[in-house]
Amino acid sequence: MTVVDAIAWIVLGLIAGAIAKAIYPGHQGGGILATIVLGILGALVGGWLGRVLFGTSAGASVGALTIPSILFAVLGAIVVLFIWGLLTRQSA
């Protein structure tokens, strides 16, 4: 992995995390670093979902800043947000 690939993953993570946080209902804590990590995890989950469901690896391509990769990353980030919400839900 080159420096350019790492920067692309960070940019993809920032974009995907920010979009997922804007779409997902409710309040999600965390700052810019949490958003980037969420987006990068979302890109990995989205790439896996893309491979399983559609037979494509658009979401997991290293350094791919394309519309399909962003869509898969956002989908994956929403899944990660949902799971995180289930794990951290406080009982009333």
Side-chain angles (χ1 to χ4, degrees):
M1 177 183 276
T2 66
V3 173
V4 174
D5 291 336
I7 291 171
W9 271 102
I10 292 170
V11 170
L12 177 62
L14 178 62
I15 293 168
I19 292 172
K21 280 189 169 187
I23 292 173
Y24 198 79
H27 175 72
Q28 302 86 33
I32 190 78
L33 186 59
T35 301
I36 291 172
V37 170
L38 164 73
I40 292 172
L41 287 174
L44 294 173
V45 170
W48 178 78
L49 285 173
R51 262 193 311 273
V52 169
L53 298 176
F54 304 112
T56 181
S57 63
S61 300
V62 175
L65 288 175
T66 62
I67 298 297
S69 68
I70 293 172
L71 291 176
F72 278 113
V74 169
L75 175 68
I78 289 172
V79 169
V80 170
L81 265 175
F82 175 74
I83 292 170
W84 181 254
L86 289 177
L87 293 175
T88 60
R89 180 177 296 162
Q90 297 176 355
S91 59

